[in-house]
Each structure stands twice: as C-alpha cells, then as structure tokens.
C-alpha cells in the first residue's frame, strides 16, 4: 500500500472544544489529531453555533470564503466560512467554521432551544451546512482524497458528492460514520425538495415515508463505519435500534472501529480540572482530595468507608436513564453516596429531582452540562454507572477506568467491548462489573457485587489498577481508520 499522505476533510456537527453535547465532539477532536499524527493533511469542519465565542476560539475570516450564497429550498442564505484550529500540546489541525446568522449564530443550542427543549428547523440548518461543506471545497479548489462524515447531520454530504457534484468529486471517496443509529435525522418528505438534490435520488434519502439524513449518508458513502465492533453487529441484527433502517446496511461491510480517548485531556496525572493529580501508582493518595472537593461541590458530607458513585450522562431512553431511575431508590438504600451530572429529557430530569428530594443525604444532582465537573466526577468517585439500553461506543467508561473509578455497565455496544467483569477467582483481570439484561434487578446485583469487592481494600485495588493500566489511546483505532481510507484509494 502507498504511504503517501492523504488529504481528509472531517465533517461533524460537534467538535471539542467549540461545541459539545456528547461523545461525538470528543471523538471529532481526538481522532482528527490522531490522524494528523499519522502524517495526513486532515482538516475539520463544523457549524458555529451562537454559544461559540469567536474571540475565545480564535476564529478568523478567510478571504475567499465570505458570503457564499447557499440555496435551501426557495431561499438563499449567506455562509461565511472562517478559520480556526484544534490543538493538543503536540499537534494542530485546521478547522473550518461555518457561520450564518439565522441558522446558527442566532441560536444558543446546538439542535434545540435550551429553555423549551424544542427542536430547531434542523432539516434546513443541516441542508445548509452540508451544502456549505461542498462549496468550501469548490472555492478552495481542494478536493480531498477522503471526506469523512460523522453523524446524521452530515448525511447529505455523500449524497451531494455523488449526485449534483459527481464530476467535481469524481476522485474523492466518502466515509460515513454512524455514532448513534437511533438518531437518524428524519423530517417530512417536503424537506427533500429543499436539498436541491435531483428527484431520482429521493428513494435513497427516504425511509418509512420520511426524509432520512442517515439513509442518504449510507446510500451514497463508499464505506460505512460505526464506533465499536459489538455495535456494528447489533445494528445489523437488532431492528429496533435503527427503526428498520438496518436493511439499508445490508451489503455494506460495516466496520466497527472502537473509539479511543484523548490522553492529553483525560489523564489524571495532568488533568487541570481536578483537585489533586495522580496516576496508577498514587491513586490511593490522590483520589481522596478529589472526593473531598467533589462532595463539597455537591453539598454531601464526607463519610469514611462509604463509596462515592458517579453518573455523567445525557438523560435519555438509550442511555438507560429509565432503568437508572427505577433502580436508584434501591441503590441509595445501600451504604453509598451518588452524584449525578446530566442534561436531557425534561420528564426524566423531574423524576431524578424527586428522588434527590427524597434521598437528600446521599444523592445530589446537577442537571446541566459541565465538562470541567465531569473530570472531577471521574477523579472523585469510586464507581461509575452506565446502564445504557444501547451504547454505540461510550467514552465515559473509558475515562472512568483511566481515573480509577470502576464502571458498572450493561454489556451492550462499546461497553461490552471495553468493560470486563472482575471476579477474584474467575476473571482477576476484570475492569468493572457488568450486567446483561436490561432489568433493575440485574443492575442492582452488579452494584452489589461491586460493593462487596469494595469492602476488601486489596481486592478493590486490583480492579482499579486493572482499569488504570488499560490502553484506550487512539493508536490502534486511528490506524484502523487509516486502513479504511487507504483501502478506498486503490
Ligand atoms: C454518540 C454515542 C456514544 C459514542 C459517541 C462517539 O454520542 O451515543 O456511544 O461514544 O457518539 O462516537
């Protein structure tokens, strides 16, 4: 295989540190940097939402990319694509940031209004963004070897590349990565006309009598990937995850590539957001200071010998919030303290608040999103709960293991690929506690197994160390993406 560096445009609706509602942002950031480290010319592109500060993020204008008129249905909206970068201490990647007042700047949330929870006109917003991606390449005269699209929001890019702009992008290959097969971006059929894509392509963009961005991405991509090997199998087999869209994956050799994590940002040895830094040799003296600060922040009193359990999650069906709500009263009846950070479903938030009101002494919540606090939760907790119904990959269980907070997780998707059951006799190299059935009783049993091991300091030290010594870096997975890119160049 050739070793010539490749040019790659990485397109995503979320890129850390600009915009984040979930793991997609972390992956867009850390994978791009890892691909750059392999020597490729990778650039990322995202929309500039209203909550992104241009000054703080050093976003500058580029001469050629001002006031590009983008058609969305009958109207034209101006896109000005600006320049910035993402960095870690070693590496830097060019970022193109799409600005437009009506669709993005005037809106504070990424996809929905933060106060009402109501979705924005996301069909038009992402038709606009996807078209801007194409126009940017045309105006720059840059036709990358690979356009790597991530999430439903980018699903029209493959469709545009293979229909309206087929000639221009004849040599470009397109990879479409599914980060969550339950979120497909579907809209009324009328939205199809706003895309400017010819009618004969509509069947490839329609599922279940709705326009479907994910289907468009799959139909026109040269390669489809998803974010863990187990999830790749699950979305092919389990019809319920994708609402029947699994049929469109038939014939595709869907690659399940496990996400890595950013070891500059998520390493307890150098984490600036935690109270005391530590590593696998010093966790016993390092974690208590973090626990103290964490409990202070959550208004809980420190209790020697009582484990602190953390939850950081989007509150939703797929993350298993209903199961958590069901099991919490029983978990809280044990000798534990639980802290929860999470935003999402409004009804679920209310249910959680009710439980918090009842268990004031050992349960405290912060119903919002706070990246810095998420770091402190990993550092200050002994255990971490992830009872997901579906989990394409999941990053928090990996952060937890790195921080010596032992995950208690349901064996699904990426959780099944990263967390293994600890048993002093049968599986002494296990890194957590795992349950299979999506049932409160099984979840509770896993928590109880964890509590039992926690009672034996030496044994607990083994589980913690097992997790802390795992390698979750991008090294292997970035190579896997590189192989996918290269295989398309032949
Ligand atoms: C989505 C998935 C999560 C995955 C992340 C990054 O947020 O729900 O499991 O880790 O994307 O790929």
């Amino acid at each position: 295989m050739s070793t010539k560096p490749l040019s790659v445009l990485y397109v995503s609706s979320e890129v850390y540190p600009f915009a984040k509602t979930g793991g997609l942002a972390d992956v867009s950031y850390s994978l791009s940097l890892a691909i750059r480290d392999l020597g490729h010319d990778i650039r990322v592109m995202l929309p500039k939402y209203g909550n992104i500060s241009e000054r703080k993020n050093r976003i500058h204008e580029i001469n050629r990319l001002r006031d590009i008129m983008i058609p969305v249905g009958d109207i034209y909206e101006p896109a000005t694509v600006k320049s910035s970068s993402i960095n870690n201490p070693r590496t830097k990647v060019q970022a193109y940031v799409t600005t437009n007042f009506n669709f993005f700047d005037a809106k504070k949330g990424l996809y929905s209004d933060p106060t009402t929870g109501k979705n924005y006109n996301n069909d038009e917003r992402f038709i606009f963004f996807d078209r801007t991606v194409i126009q940017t390449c045309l105006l720059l005269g840059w036709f990358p070897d690979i356009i790597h699209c991530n999430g439903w929001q980018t699903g029209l890019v493959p469709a545009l590349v293979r229909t309206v702009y087929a000639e221009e992008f004849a040599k470009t290959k397109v990879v479409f990565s599914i980060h969550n097969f339950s979120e497909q971006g579907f809209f009324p059929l009328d939205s199809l006309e706003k895309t400017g894509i010819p009618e004969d392509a509509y069947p490839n963009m329609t599922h279940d009598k709705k326009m479907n961005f994910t289907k468009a991405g799959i139909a026109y991509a040269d390669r489809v990937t998803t974010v863990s090997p187990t999830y790749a199998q699950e979305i092919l087999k389990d019809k319920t995850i994708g609402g029947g869209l699994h049929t469109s994956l038939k014939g595709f050799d869907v690659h399940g590539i496990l996400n890595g994590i950013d070891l500059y940002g998520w390493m307890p040895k150098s984490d600036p957001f935690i109270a005391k830094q530590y590593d696998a040799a010093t966790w016993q003296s390092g974690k208590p200071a973090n626990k103290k600060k964490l409990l202070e922040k959550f208004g809980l009193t420190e209790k020697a010998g009582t484990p602190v359990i953390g939850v950081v999650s989007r509150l939703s069906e797929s993350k298993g919030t209903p199961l958590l709500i069901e099991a919490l009263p029983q978990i809280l009846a044990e000798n534990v303290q639980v802290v929860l950070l999470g935003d999402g479903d409004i009804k679920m938030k209310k249910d959680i608040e009710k439980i918090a009101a009842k268990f004031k002494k050992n349960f405290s919540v912060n119903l919002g999103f706070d990246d810095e606090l998420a770091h402190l939760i990993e550092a200050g907790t002994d255990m971490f709960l992830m009872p997901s119904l579906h989990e394409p990959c999941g990053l928090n269980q990996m952060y937890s293991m790195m921080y010596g907070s032992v995950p208690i997780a349901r064996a699904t998707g990426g959780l099944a690929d990263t967390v293994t059951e600890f048993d002093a006799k049968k599986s002494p190299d296990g890194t957590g506690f795992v349950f299979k059935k999506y049932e409160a009783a099984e979840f509770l049993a896993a928590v109880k197994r964890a509590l039992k091991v926690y009672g034996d300091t030496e044994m607990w030290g083994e589980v913690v160390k097992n997790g802390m010594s795992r390698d979750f870096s991008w090294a292997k997975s970035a190579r896997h993406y590189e192989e996918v890119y290269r295989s398309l160049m032949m």
Side-chain angles (χ1 to χ4, degrees), residues 205-233:
M205 301 159 61
T206 309
H207 174 67
D208 217 2
K209 301 206 178 68
K210 291 195 186 81
M211 173 190 180
N212 188 309
F213 272 64
T214 297
K215 174 139 182 211
I218 294 169
Y220 289 102
D222 296 292
R223 182 61 45 86
V224 177
T225 73
T226 187
V227 289
S228 72
T230 297
Y231 195 63
Q233 290 171 9

Side-chain angles (χ1 to χ4, degrees), residues 193-211:
E193 280 162 35
K194 300 180 190 165
T195 63
I197 293 173
E199 250 176 73
D200 58 5
Y202 288 1
N204 292 329
M205 301 159 61
T206 309
H207 174 67
D208 217 2
K209 301 206 178 68
K210 291 195 186 81
M211 173 190 180

Side-chain angles (χ1 to χ4, degrees), residues 13-14 21-24 27 111 149-154 176-186 212-215 218 224-228 231-232 234-235 240-243 245 249 254 259 313-320 388-394 412-414 481:
S13 61
E14 297 187 21
T21 67
L24 172 62
V27 170
Y111 314 116
C149 301
N150 293 273
W152 71 260
Q153 294 85 349
T154 63
F176 182 68
S177 291
I178 296 169
H179 290 261
N180 192 333
F181 203 43
S182 308
E183 290 170 20
Q184 299 176 353
F186 47 79
N212 188 309
F213 272 64
T214 297
K215 174 139 182 211
I218 294 169
V224 177
T225 73
T226 187
V227 289
S228 72
Y231 195 63
E234 288 172 352
I235 57 177
T240 63
I241 300 181
L245 195 63
L249 291 170
V254 180
N259 287 332
S313 178
R314 195 153 44 77
L315 307 175
S316 64
E317 288 279 334
S318 69
K319 296 291 170 194
S388 304
L389 175 61
H390 302 301
E391 194 62 77
C393 177
T412 179
Y481 277 105

